Amino acid sequence: VKSLQMNLDSTKREANNVTLSLKSTSEEKNHLSSLRSEMEQKLQTLQVTKTEIESQYASLSQALLIVSEEKNVLVSSNRKLSEQIAGMTDEHAAIMKHSRSLDLQLQTASSDKSSLSTSIHTISQERDNLLAERENTRQKIQQLTTNMASLQSQIDILNTEKQNITQELSVSVQHHNLEKMQA
């Protein structure tokens, strides 16, 4: 009986161990089920993310194609601009050459203007001198006219005196002749 009791106790212990093991296995099963659910959710999330990435990749590929086309357009435009710049460089050189020619013409014109200004100043001085001489001549003519008028007046006086003297001489001669005839 004692041996049976010991076997019974051992069996109870083993039963308890099995129960604990089953309980532990159930908990692990629940835990694994929970992990599986999480993994499935993560997988769904990854699938959505994959779809989004594939969509973004398609968009980026389209954008890259557009950028490539724009790059080709820019390269072509850059080539045309380079040609235009080369043409503008030649035109700039021609303009600079023409500008230097204009500078020389301007210097010549400035020199001519200076010479002309000197000539004008000289002519102006000569004109002023001529005007001064003309004024002097006018004053001299006026003075001569006044002197001639004075001389004419003196001549008139002398002519009057001459006539008076001639008349007096004539009268004196007549008197003298009468006196001679009476004598």
Side-chain angles (χ1 to χ4, degrees):
V1 173
K2 188 176 182 179
S3 176
L4 288 172
Q5 187 66 38
M6 290 177 61
N7 286 335
L8 182 61
D9 291 338
S10 174
T11 302
K12 284 182 179 179
R13 283 195 299 272
E14 288 179 2
N16 287 333
N17 289 334
V18 168
T19 301
L20 288 173
S21 295
L22 286 172
K23 187 177 180 180
S24 175
T25 301
S26 178
E27 289 176 354
E28 289 179 0
K29 182 181 178 182
N30 290 334
H31 179 66
L32 288 173
S33 178
S34 176
L35 285 176
R36 180 180 178 183
S37 178
E38 289 179 6
M39 293 298 290
E40 287 177 350
Q41 289 180 352
K42 289 182 179 179
L43 183 62
Q44 289 178 356
T45 303
L46 287 173
Q47 188 66 35
V48 171
T49 303
K50 177 186 176 186
T51 304
E52 291 177 352
I53 289 173
E54 287 175 347
S55 175
Q56 291 178 0
Y57 179 79
S59 298
L60 287 174
S61 296
Q62 185 67 26
L64 182 62
L65 182 63
I66 293 171
V67 167
S68 179
E69 291 176 354
E70 290 180 350
K71 177 186 175 184
N72 291 335
V73 172
L74 287 174
V75 169
S76 177
S77 297
N78 187 36
R79 189 180 305 110
K80 290 180 181 178
L81 284 174
S82 298
E83 293 174 356
Q84 290 178 0
I85 289 171
M88 290 175 66
T89 301
D90 295 338
E91 186 177 353
H92 180 262
I95 289 172
M96 290 301 296
K97 183 178 180 181
H98 185 59
S99 177
R100 285 192 293 271
S101 175
L102 288 177
D103 287 340
L104 290 174
Q105 291 179 12
L106 182 61
Q107 290 177 359
T108 303
S110 178
S111 177
D112 292 344
K113 179 183 176 184
S114 178
S115 299
L116 185 61
S117 296
T118 303
S119 298
I120 289 172
H121 181 67
T122 302
I123 290 170
S124 178
Q125 286 182 337
E126 291 178 354
R127 186 194 65 182
D128 292 340
N129 292 336
L130 287 173
L131 288 174
E133 288 181 8
R134 191 171 90 177
E135 179 62 22
N136 290 335
T137 302
R138 188 189 66 77
Q139 290 178 0
K140 287 178 181 178
I141 290 172
Q142 188 176 4
Q143 185 65 40
L144 286 173
T145 302
T146 303
N147 292 341
M148 285 177 66
S150 177
L151 285 173
Q152 186 64 43
S153 177
Q154 292 177 8
I155 289 171
D156 291 342
I157 292 171
L158 287 174
N159 283 334
T160 302
E161 290 179 355
K162 179 182 175 184
Q163 287 177 358
N164 292 334
I165 291 171
T166 301
Q167 288 178 356
E168 289 176 2
L169 281 173
S170 178
V171 170
S172 294
V173 168
Q174 287 177 359
H175 282 248
H176 181 68
N177 288 334
L178 285 173
E179 287 177 356
K180 275 179 77 175
M181 288 176 65
Q182 290 174 357

